[in-house]
Amino acid sequence: MTERWVIHLPVTAPDLLRARILARTAARVLARLSARVEPGGVTVSAEDQQGVRHWVFCDRPLPGGARCALPTDHLSPCTHRLRR
């Protein structure tokens, strides 16, 4: 048995776009507080279809071992840092 536990925190949003925005924001804030947060694994789902998950981050592998930190449907080149 593993000693890793996953936290499932149901939070509601009125639509998929706002659910993804809220999930990205929460993941980024939590990642600043703990290195154990894995933002690339964040998904959202409809309340009555929780088996159908929608990715929040692109998370494609980048050279050097980093992962893309942009939203899943971004049109710009992948990057490990957010553009400001």
Side-chain angles (χ1 to χ4, degrees), residues 2-80:
T2 180
E3 287 302 315
R4 281 178 44 133
W5 293 85
V6 176
I7 298 170
H8 303 275
L9 178 64
V11 178
T12 61
D15 55 48
L16 179 58
L17 175 63
R18 285 183 254 189
R20 283 180 166 164
I21 291 169
L22 179 58
R24 275 196 302 272
T25 303
R28 288 177 179 146
V29 168
L30 291 172
R32 289 178 183 232
L33 299 175
S34 172
R36 295 181 181 267
V37 174
E38 299 176 18
V42 175
T43 59
V44 297
S45 66
E47 185 174 18
D48 59 347
Q49 292 183 328
Q50 293 183 27
V52 180
R53 305 274 178 128
H54 301 272
W55 291 103
V56 173
F57 292 99
C58 171
D59 203 40
R60 286 187 188 108
L62 298 171
R67 312 281 296 186
C68 180
L70 296 176
T72 190
D73 298 327
H74 68 89
L75 299 176
S76 59
C78 288
T79 182
H80 70 281

